[in-house]
Amino acid sequence: MIQVLFVCLGNICRSPMAEAVFRHQVNKAGLDAVIAIDSAGTGDWHIGHPPHQGTRDILDQYQINHKGLIAREVKSDDFVQYTYIIAMDQSNVTNLASFAPALVEGEKRAAIHKLLDFAPDRTDKNVPDPYYTGNFQKVYEMVEESCERLLAFIVEKENL
Ligand code: 4NP
């Protein structure tokens, strides 16, 4: 099983959006049995909360299921369990470091990427935070495009 974890700050706006969109794409590609998906935040303020209303509204608009999504915090075990950790911006990558467990020789670790590393046409590699900007539409478009490319990358890399 390939495991993909999307990470942002609060786990209520960007990473649950990416989780829902990516799950939708993985399902359409017939790969649900081989790719498992979750999301988490580096902040603990919203643990147990559903996604932000703005994220739920935009997902509803595109008929993407978001039922059952509940915010959780990143945990050190994620680095061992997941194949890929996909961060929304550079500050998430920096914050992730404080959750990483001590290195164990020979142990496999998640590969950490930024989502917009998979959007070659974009020069700014950080997904803007709609919690502050209010622009959930723009974030949706970035997430949709780059998740498609992430899926293509994983399919090729993992020989799916
Ligand atoms: P997210 O947005 O990282 O995309 O989920 C945020 C949500 C909540 C907060 C910050 C960012 N907050 O400070 O509560």
Side-chain angles (χ1 to χ4, degrees), residues 8-13 15-16 38-52 68-75 78 99 131:
C8 65
L9 179 57
N11 193 213
I12 55 167
C13 297
S15 60
D38 195 7
S39 67
T42 61
D44 62 3
W45 316 285
H46 299 285
I47 291 172
H49 295 182
H52 189 286
L69 295 184
I70 293 294
R72 73 163 175 92
E73 194 177 17
V74 171
K75 52 186 193 291
D78 291 332
F99 292 90
Y131 188 74

Side-chain angles (χ1 to χ4, degrees), residues 19-20 23 50-51 56 59-60 64-70:
E19 177 185 353
R23 184 171 289 118
R56 285 186 275 153
L59 291 172
D60 285 340
I64 292 174
N65 185 13
H66 54 79
K67 258 210 301 227
L69 295 184
I70 293 294

Side-chain angles (χ1 to χ4, degrees), residues 2-16:
I2 308 302
Q3 308 233 42
V4 179
L5 181 70
F6 293 96
V7 169
C8 65
L9 179 57
N11 193 213
I12 55 167
C13 297
R14 295 166 294 172
S15 60

